[in-house]
Amino acid sequence: MSSFSYVFNNAHVVMSFLAFILLDIMGSTAAFQTINNRHALVGKRRCAFTWNNRPCKTKLAAVKDGGMDAFTAQLQAALAEAEANTDTSSSSDTVTDAYATEILNKSRSAVTATVEPSQSSTPRPQRTGKHAISSLLMQRAIQTQLYYLADMRDEPTYMWMREFLNHGHLDDKGRFQELDGLRCDGGWQYYLEQLENAPSFSITVQLAPPRLSAQQQRNPYLAAQAVGRSYEETILPLKISQTLRTVARSLETEWVPVLFEIAEEDRKRVQLYNAPPQIQTAAAAYQAFWCERQVVAGGEGDDQGTPLHALNERIVARFCTRVALDELIDELQGESPADDSAEDEEAKRAAVEWLRDFANEWEPKLKRGPDDNKRRSFGVAPPGHWQRLCDGADADDVTEAMWQELPPLFAYASDDAMRLYSPEALAARLRRVRASVCDELIGDLRATVLLMS
């Protein structure tokens, strides 16, 4: 009897063990099928784009501000195909269908939010007049080429190029830092057209004789040989035009990262103004550490840019700040107050007048450029004091001066007026507008370089 119970108990243990193994195998098979179904669904959605009857997928990054890239377009088409091929009659694959429906809804909402802004966008024409960065690009290209000519001591070409179309105010050292230095009615296109149509000619360059000491002058043989020499120099305006186009392409390569950096910093400042600061995580600090060590403009890992690169950064910042000031005034004039009350309407009108007076004071300073020598003579002055003592200004001077202004009386009309029209709020709005201006100027720069090619 004892032996029979022992065998029965052991058989019960063995059967339990075999049942456990069988259930584990069945569960693994079901999980494997579910995973395969999920991968097949995702693969079907990602591989809807084909090239030569082969499935492909793209790794293009999404365009900022709601733009639609190639992957978004492919994903949208794949969602439509996956939704059309979905079999709603099957009820056995409940887990897989629920997972597929969830992923499908999330993807559809993401694509809809991404595509909708791009459908309403229209091509924007390039800026003209004092807001045309193409004229500034040609101005700095001329000054950079003058620097190269002076460095190579090509005085004939240097002097001819400075006098061409009365542009003698442009120098080779970058001392002329005004924004509107290209003084042609037709802009850069007229300048290059006149340069290409100018005839080539030759000039005779007379070199001064070498200086002889008193003892050498008494030597008749040396005195007879100490005469000035001359040579022929040919000026080719068409070649100069081609060189200016090449220099402009180099400047565009350097200015685009500068505009990207200005826009990024402005968006960070606006985010800081609108939201409380957050503690930086270790991952964000690690990313910022390596971002500062990326390839700089002008070379593969070095800082060998164009000769006037440091001055060009400040000029580009001043240019986009002047454009942003004018656009912020237009934005304030076109917007409607938060409430339709008379107080808010009067506060908006007063804010437009205040900002127009501010722009009339600072835009001439932005056009002129900073007075670095005068600033150094002041020493260390209190913040916000020395900006108004100079005839010129940098871009940071404008934002700093606006930020330090006391709130005018119209800002106390209501809470909405203080939130929208106080100097701190206008400074944050100026940075937001300037970030958008930088994005648009990048497109203008690239379009100008394409037209020059």
Side-chain angles (χ1 to χ4, degrees):
M1 185 67 180
S2 60
S3 60
F4 176 78
S5 61
Y6 175 78
V7 173
F8 179 80
N9 291 334
N10 289 343
H12 179 71
V13 171
V14 172
M15 292 296 293
S16 300
F17 179 75
L18 292 177
F20 176 79
I21 292 177
L22 181 61
L23 290 175
D24 183 71
I25 293 174
M26 293 175 63
S28 301
T29 304
F32 179 75
Q33 291 178 353
T34 303
I35 293 175
N36 283 344
N37 291 335
R38 293 178 182 178
H39 284 298
L41 177 64
V42 177
K44 184 177 182 181
R45 190 178 299 127
R46 290 183 178 175
C47 297
F49 174 72
T50 59
W51 178 260
N52 292 338
N53 297 326
R54 292 181 298 175
C56 302
K57 63 179 180 179
T58 180
K59 296 182 179 179
L60 295 178
V63 181
K64 295 181 179 179
D65 299 332
M68 183 176 68
D69 59 354
F71 175 73
T72 307
Q74 298 164 18
L75 184 58
Q76 186 185 21
L79 290 176
E81 181 183 355
E83 186 176 5
N85 296 333
T86 303
D87 187 9
T88 58
S89 61
S90 60
S91 59
S92 59
D93 300 334
T94 56
V95 178
T96 305
D97 291 343
Y99 181 83
T101 304
E102 180 183 358
I103 296 299
L104 191 64
N105 293 333
K106 290 183 179 180
S107 302
R108 185 186 297 109
S109 60
V111 171
T112 304
T114 305
V115 174
E116 284 180 354
S118 64
Q119 292 176 348
S120 60
S121 60
T122 56
R124 181 189 58 82
Q126 291 194 38
R127 301 178 184 273
T128 57
K130 69 176 185 178
H131 293 170
I133 198 173
S134 54
S135 299
L136 181 64
L137 179 66
M138 180 53 59
Q139 169 192 334
R140 300 305 286 183
I142 294 173
Q143 292 183 263
T144 304
Q145 181 60 20
L146 290 175
Y147 182 95
Y148 291 142
L149 293 175
D151 189 51
M152 294 183 295
R153 298 186 178 182
D154 189 354
E155 295 183 7
T157 308
Y158 175 88
M159 296 303 299
W160 182 89
M161 190 172 176
R162 287 197 65 177
E163 297 300 328
F164 182 73
L165 295 182
N166 299 323
H167 281 80
H169 55 280
L170 300 181
D171 65 328
D172 58 292
K173 300 300 182 183
R175 298 187 183 95
F176 183 84
Q177 302 184 39
E178 292 190 13
L179 297 179
D180 304 327
L182 187 66
R183 296 169 184 175
C184 298
D185 294 336
W188 64 272
Q189 293 175 329
Y190 177 81
Y191 186 90
L192 290 181
E193 181 181 354
Q194 294 298 317
L195 192 60
E196 292 171 355
N197 295 332
S200 59
F201 60 95
S202 300
I203 59 176
T204 301
V205 181
Q206 185 72 31
L207 299 179
R211 295 181 180 180
L212 299 178
S213 62
Q215 183 178 0
Q216 291 174 341
Q217 291 177 2
R218 290 193 295 268
N219 189 332
Y221 299 100
L222 292 178
Q225 296 178 3
V227 294
R229 295 180 299 169
S230 61
Y231 66 92
E232 295 289 331
E233 178 74 16
T234 303
I235 306 296
L236 301 174
L238 181 59
K239 186 176 180 181
I240 296 176
S241 173
Q242 296 173 354
T243 305
L244 285 179
R245 296 171 188 268
T246 304
V247 175
R249 285 194 293 269
S250 301
L251 293 179
E252 182 264 341
T253 305
E254 291 184 348
W255 289 12
V256 167
V258 173
L259 291 171
F260 269 125
E261 184 178 358
I262 294 174
E264 183 181 2
E265 291 298 326
D266 284 344
R267 290 189 175 98
K268 288 181 180 179
R269 291 291 295 268
V270 173
Q271 184 179 6
L272 261 176
Y273 177 79
N274 294 330
Q278 300 179 356
I279 300 177
Q280 187 182 30
T281 61
Y286 179 80
Q287 182 180 4
F289 175 80
W290 286 109
C291 283
E292 295 176 355
R293 286 153 180 80
Q294 297 298 319
V295 177
V296 298
E300 293 295 331
D302 54 19
D303 55 352
Q304 298 178 1
T306 55
L308 307 178
H309 176 67
L311 295 175
N312 288 337
E313 287 186 354
R314 302 169 67 180
I315 287 180
V316 169
R318 288 191 284 117
F319 183 86
C320 59
T321 303
R322 185 177 69 171
V323 178
L325 272 174
D326 294 339
E327 289 206 354
L328 181 57
I329 295 175
D330 296 338
E331 179 181 306
L332 288 178
Q333 290 177 340
E335 73 179 10
S336 58
D339 296 332
D340 294 335
S341 61
E343 294 180 352
D344 290 341
E345 183 67 28
E346 180 64 22
K348 189 200 80 167
R349 187 194 62 79
V352 172
E353 294 297 329
W354 181 88
L355 187 59
R356 184 178 287 111
D357 294 339
F358 183 88
N360 292 335
E361 177 187 359
W362 285 98
E363 282 193 8
K365 295 184 178 183
L366 287 172
K367 176 183 176 181
R368 179 188 176 107
D371 300 331
D372 292 334
N373 295 330
K374 196 171 184 179
R375 292 186 183 190
R376 283 190 286 266
S377 65
F378 291 152
V380 181
H385 287 205
W386 50 266
Q387 286 101 333
R388 299 186 183 275
L389 299 177
C390 298
D391 296 331
D394 254 334
D396 293 339
D397 302 335
V398 177
T399 55
E400 188 71 20
M402 183 180 291
W403 186 270
Q404 293 179 355
E405 288 284 345
L406 294 176
L409 294 178
F410 62 80
Y412 295 98
S414 62
D415 293 339
D416 291 334
M418 180 63 71
R419 178 176 56 86
L420 295 175
Y421 308 132
S422 65
E424 295 88 351
L426 291 177
R429 296 178 70 173
L430 177 65
R431 288 185 176 272
R432 175 184 56 79
V433 173
R434 190 171 67 171
S436 301
V437 167
C438 290
D439 295 338
E440 295 176 356
L441 291 179
I442 290 173
D444 291 351
L445 276 175
R446 291 171 174 170
T448 302
V449 170
L450 287 177
L451 289 176
M452 289 182 180
S453 301

